């Protein structure tokens, strides 16, 4: 167990609060000191509020002393800036947004607050959440704690950087094509995109999900248990999760696992990524799982169709802005949507239909397997200043072919660090599970971790 309070897991914090050996007031001071030391290099936070955090920690301390503590009482938490928290504007990562304070907490934020979590900051995101980087016209450029010259990924950029840097144990992001899992993979974290509807989002859309980014699977499961459940603001939200992470058996013996090493589309898999994921698969096989290679799940037609549909959707959003605000949008985003007007109605409808085609393809891939594993991304973290790893606004999705299918199908998928590149960068393994088996995906991530070579120390930029 670490002596640095900011690095304690949520599970460890709760245990020590229960014992009375630690106070939330002590913990938030350590977390705020970590933030103060590292933010000039990482730029992961937005609307940081130390005094409100200290007040919330004092209230939590009182509840622990009087036997009134909730399931996350006193645990420091950050929330991605596009998840509404009352009184704070949500700029969506862009200077084009009018800064209007939110009138109420989004469902996930409300449940965390009700559970006693100390929400001390929001975290940054790139322009409209449409980039897998931290590039934004509103926020300073968010950087990766493992190497500040590189991106933490996106669009949950600040959440991943904060988690890897030890800004407390729990961080909440959003994901519509890989925006939790990509930064989690590039920052060495557990990042869960839950079953669609498992956590109410408040503004539902096909593929959109909210989930935790943490250092351990157990912390992700704890956060999930608090945030899950229906909410009137999300017509796609599901009943509370039925199974228990703690009750699942810790074994891989007899599991049938499909291994996807070639997405069939997009960037080629880097040899070091291929080697690390292959080694993790071999480890699972040695532990008693049946691991079999599988063919690519999605096609170029599917990925390009989704790209076209999302261009039109984003173009419509930008067209609704006054010209002076539209001019503030990141040039790469404006370039990306510039081709939307030339698409026919048939092309747009065909693009929309590819979301369903991906869902059918993923469901078929699960016919014979308990889990599907793959790289999270075909590459390791890329230069921080690039909006896209391709550095081409007209080829923005070449790195999401492993992640986006599970958004479209609604299946849960989580990440686990499975190794490092020759330059010391984390390499993420993606574990996808059948719908509603969120805890099973996290359990497998937890079971695999001790079987792999020891993880490297967390970075101290």
């Amino acid at each position: 167990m670490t002596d640095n309070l900011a690095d304690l897991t949520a599970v460890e914090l709760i245990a020590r609060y229960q014992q009375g050996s630690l106070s939330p007031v002590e913990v938030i001071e350590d977390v705020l000191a970590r933030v103060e030391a590292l933010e000039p290099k990482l730029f992961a936070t937005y609307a940081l509020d130390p005094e409100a955090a200290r007040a919330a920690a004092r209230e939590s301390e009182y509840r622990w002393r009087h036997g009134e503590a909730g399931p996350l009482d006193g645990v420091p938490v950050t929330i991605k800036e596009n998840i509404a928290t009352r009184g704070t504007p949500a700029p969506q990562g862009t200077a084009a947004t009018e800064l209007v304070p939110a009138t109420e907490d989004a469902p996930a934020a409300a449940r965390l607050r009700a559970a006693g979590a100390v929400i001390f900051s929001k975290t940054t995101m790139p322009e409209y959440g449409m980039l897998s980087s931290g590039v934004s016209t509103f926020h300073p450029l968010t950087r990766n704690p493992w190497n500040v010259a590189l991106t933490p990924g996106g669009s949950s950029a600040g959440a991943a950087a904060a988690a890897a840097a030890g800004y407390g144990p729990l961080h909440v992001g959003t994901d519509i094509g890989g925006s939790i899992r990509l930064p989690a993979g590039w920052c060495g974290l557990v990042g869960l995109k839950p079953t669609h509807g498992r956590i109410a989002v408040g503004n539902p859309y096909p593929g959109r999900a909210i989930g935790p980014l943490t250092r351990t699977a157990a912390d992700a499961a704890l956060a999930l248990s608090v945030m899950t459940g229906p909410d009137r603001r999300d017509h796609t939200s599901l009943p509370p999760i039925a199974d228990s992470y703690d009750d699942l058996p810790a074994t891989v013996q007899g599991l049938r696992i499909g291994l996807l090493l070639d997405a069939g589309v997009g960037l080629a898999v880097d040899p070091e990524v291929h080697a690390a994921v292959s080694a993790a698969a071999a480890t699972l096989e040695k532990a008693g799982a049946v691991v079999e290679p599988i063919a690519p799940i999605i096609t170029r037609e599917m990925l390009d169709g989704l790209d076209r549909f999302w261009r039109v959707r984003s173009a419509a959003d930008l067209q609704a802005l006054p010209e002076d605000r539209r001019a503030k949008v990141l040039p790469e985003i404006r370039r990306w949507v510039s081709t939307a007007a030339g698409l026919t109605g048939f092309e747009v409808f065909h693009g929309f239909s590819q979301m369903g085609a991906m869902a059918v393809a993923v469901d078929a891939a699960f016919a014979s397997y308990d889990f599907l594993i793959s790289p999270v991304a075909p590459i390791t973290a890329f230069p921080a200043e690039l909006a896209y790893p391709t550095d081409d606004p007209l080829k923005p999705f070449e790195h999401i072919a492993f992640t986006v299918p599970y958004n479209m199908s609604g299946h849960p998928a989580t990440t686990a660090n499975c190794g490092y590149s020759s330059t010391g960068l984390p390499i993420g393994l993606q574990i996808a599970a059948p719908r509603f088996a969120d805890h099973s995906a996290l359990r497998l991530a937890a079971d695999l971790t001790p079987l792999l070579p020891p993880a490297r120390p967390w970075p101290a930029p």
Side-chain angles (χ1 to χ4, degrees):
M1 184 180 292
T2 179
D3 292 329
N4 298 315
L5 302 184
D7 291 314
L8 292 176
T9 68
V11 171
E12 290 169 337
L13 287 176
I14 294 297
R16 292 182 64 174
Y17 294 157
Q18 289 172 335
Q19 296 163 2
S21 63
L22 187 63
S23 163
V25 174
E26 299 171 85
V27 173
I28 198 62
E29 288 301 334
D30 217 45
V31 169
L32 291 173
R34 178 73 59 84
V35 173
E36 183 179 9
L38 298 185
E39 266 303 271
K41 301 176 182 178
L42 299 181
F43 302 104
T45 63
Y46 160 66
L48 176 69
D49 193 342
E51 291 312 308
R54 291 184 175 105
R58 290 192 295 270
E59 292 170 2
S60 177
E61 182 182 65
Y62 177 90
R63 290 191 293 272
W64 278 108
R65 287 177 176 174
H66 292 81
E68 301 171 357
L72 280 180
D73 231 299
V75 176
V77 172
T78 72
I79 297 179
K80 189 175 176 181
E81 62 107 319
N82 63 337
I83 301 171
T85 52
R86 63 175 182 261
T88 304
Q92 306 289 322
T94 177
T97 300
E98 289 186 314
L99 298 181
V100 179
T103 58
E104 62 180 358
D105 286 340
R111 288 209 166 98
L112 289 165
R113 206 184 297 275
V118 176
I119 301 171
F120 68 94
S121 184
K122 307 298 286 289
T123 51
T124 61
M125 62 183 283
E127 202 84 358
Y128 288 114
M130 290 305 299
L131 308 175
S132 296
S133 68
V135 176
S136 164
T137 55
F138 183 83
H139 301 296
L141 181 61
T142 307
R143 296 179 178 274
N144 192 321
W146 292 90
N147 182 337
V148 294
L150 304 177
T151 184
S155 62
S156 302
Y167 292 10
L170 298 185
H171 307 271
V172 182
T174 65
D175 191 317
I176 198 171
S179 288
I180 289 172
R181 290 157 291 156
L182 289 165
W186 287 327
C187 289
L189 305 166
V190 174
L192 173 69
K193 183 211 76 69
T195 299
H196 186 82
R198 176 62 67 209
I199 298 174
V201 300
N203 52 342
Y205 196 84
R208 182 176 289 153
I210 289 174
L213 294 95
T214 62
R215 290 182 171 184
T216 69
D219 274 5
L222 178 58
L224 177 66
S225 70
V226 167
M227 291 188 286
T228 186
D231 189 279
R232 60 174 176 75
R233 291 167 286 180
D234 182 351
H235 64 275
T236 70
S237 57
L238 299 172
I241 199 164
D243 63 346
S244 169
Y245 172 83
D246 294 326
D247 292 340
L248 293 175
T251 180
V252 299
Q253 182 73 36
L255 293 176
R256 292 188 58 81
I257 299 175
L259 171 62
L260 180 65
L261 287 170
D262 177 9
V265 61
L267 296 175
V269 177
D270 181 274
E272 291 187 316
V273 173
H274 190 287
V277 173
S278 297
T283 297
L284 287 167
E285 195 165 32
K286 186 177 179 180
V290 177
V291 181
E292 298 175 346
I294 63 172
I297 295 174
I298 67 169
T299 64
R300 170 57 65 183
E301 180 183 14
M302 294 177 188
L303 190 63
D304 286 352
L306 182 66
D307 181 1
R308 293 188 187 102
F309 174 67
W310 277 356
R311 286 185 200 222
V312 171
R313 183 196 69 174
S314 295
D317 291 340
L318 266 59
Q319 186 61 36
L321 297 175
E323 178 55 38
D324 61 328
R325 288 170 54 195
R326 195 182 316 137
K328 296 178 181 179
V329 174
L330 190 75
E332 288 90 338
I333 295 289
R334 285 186 278 132
R335 175 70 177 118
W336 175 56
V337 303
S338 66
T339 60
L343 297 172
T344 67
F346 293 104
E347 288 173 316
V348 176
F349 177 77
H350 179 73
F352 175 82
S353 73
Q354 296 312 296
M355 293 192 289
M358 285 190 195
V360 170
V362 170
D363 199 56
F366 267 106
S368 302
Y369 299 104
D370 301 304
F371 297 94
L372 302 179
I373 63 173
S374 72
V376 176
I379 57 174
T380 54
F382 55 94
E385 292 79 10
L386 297 183
Y388 311 96
T390 58
D391 197 22
D392 183 350
L394 298 185
K395 294 182 179 179
F397 295 164
E398 298 302 294
H399 59 295
I400 67 171
F402 287 113
T403 52
V404 73
Y406 304 114
N407 293 87
M408 300 302 103
S409 68
H411 288 69
T414 193
T415 67
N417 187 64
C418 66
Y420 302 86
S421 72
S422 57
T423 57
L425 298 176
I427 295 173
L429 173 78
Q430 180 173 233
I431 301 170
R435 286 197 309 143
F436 317 121
D438 305 68
H439 278 158
S440 296
L442 290 171
R443 183 77 257 174
L444 182 56
D447 296 343
L448 173 62
T449 298
L451 303 177
L452 296 172
R456 299 184 182 186
W458 291 101

